[in-house]
């Protein structure tokens, strides 16, 4: 029975490591942050975003917004039909499903001068660069760090193992 418990614990540790390692935290614009004068198309060009990754938008609160919009509103720099909006920094957005997500700054003139970001998210394991069109995703915003998507699976696995009695004789 001790061997089974050790094996079960080892599997739980491996699952935990794999799920935490699968998410990537991206700082939008790297050291420049979320501001005018940055080429965000170039910034995304060498990245492969996956569901479970997080985007951190760093900016001075009140100076910019992180507004999620549709593809049409992205193209026209319109915030009239915004999906979500945040004006407090830093704003962290969790990429929780595959598809293309569109973000603009809602401060007048900022989007039209290039402060906009389109991110194409692939399914975990597949990766995707920013060059396809997919359905929109309506997500939530947070000003705090988010728990990685796989965390819940690790907790549930541990609870199942406890229920099955694998951690005690």
């Amino acid at each position: 029975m001790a061997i089974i418990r050790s094996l079960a614990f080892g599997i739980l540790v491996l699952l935990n490591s794999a799920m935490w390692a699968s998410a990537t935290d991206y700082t939008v614009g790297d050291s420049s942050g979320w501001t005018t004068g940055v080429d965000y198309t170039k910034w995304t060009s060498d990245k492969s975003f996956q569901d479970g990754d997080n985007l951190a938008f760093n900016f001075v609160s009140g100076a910019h917004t992180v507004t999620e919009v549709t593809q049409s509103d992205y193209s026209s720099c319109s915030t009239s039909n915004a999906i979500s909006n945040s004006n407090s920094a830093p704003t962290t957005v969790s990429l929780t499903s595959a598809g293309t997500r569109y973000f603009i700054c809602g401060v007048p003139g900022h989007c039209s001068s290039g402060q906009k970001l389109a991110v194409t998210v692939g399914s975990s394991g597949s990766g995707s660069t920013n060059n396809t069109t997919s359905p929109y995703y309506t997500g939530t915003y947070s000003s705090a760090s988010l728990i990685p998507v796989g965390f819940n699976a690790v907790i549930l696995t541990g609870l199942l193992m406890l229920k099955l009695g694998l951690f005690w004789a």
Side-chain angles (χ1 to χ4, degrees):
M1 190 61 163
I3 292 173
I4 293 174
R5 278 185 285 172
S6 296
L7 181 60
F9 183 71
I11 290 170
L12 181 61
V13 169
L14 286 174
L15 282 172
N16 187 23
S17 299
M19 289 183 188
W20 280 96
S22 66
T24 302
D25 294 325
Y26 293 97
T27 300
V28 175
D30 296 321
S31 61
S32 298
W34 181 239
T35 189
T36 56
V38 176
D39 184 347
Y40 292 104
T41 301
K42 183 177 179 182
W43 179 79
T44 61
S45 67
D46 64 345
K47 293 169 180 54
S48 180
F49 301 98
Q50 298 180 10
D51 60 341
D53 290 349
N54 297 302
L55 298 176
F57 291 81
N58 293 326
F59 58 97
V60 176
S61 290
H64 301 288
T65 69
V66 177
T67 306
E68 185 168 7
V69 294
T70 64
Q71 182 180 15
S72 174
D73 286 345
Y74 173 84
S75 297
S76 64
C77 289
S78 173
T79 59
S80 60
N81 298 308
I83 295 167
S84 293
N85 184 62
S86 174
N87 62 2
S88 60
T91 294
T92 300
V93 176
S94 180
L95 304 175
T96 56
S97 67
T100 302
R101 311 254 319 252
Y102 300 93
F103 305 94
I104 65 174
C105 178
V107 173
H110 289 198
C111 177
S112 61
S113 67
Q115 192 175 355
K116 58 191 208 174
L117 172 69
V119 175
T120 300
V121 182
S123 298
S124 288
S126 69
S128 178
T129 55
N130 190 29
N131 58 8
T132 61
T133 302
S134 300
Y136 308 121
Y137 173 79
T138 57
T140 57
Y141 291 87
S142 171
S143 293
S145 296
L146 300 173
I147 296 174
V149 173
F151 184 75
N152 290 334
V154 172
I155 295 296
L156 291 175
T157 302
L159 291 173
L160 177 63
M161 295 172 96
L162 286 172
K163 174 99 173 141
L164 295 174
L166 296 177
F167 286 128
W168 58 79

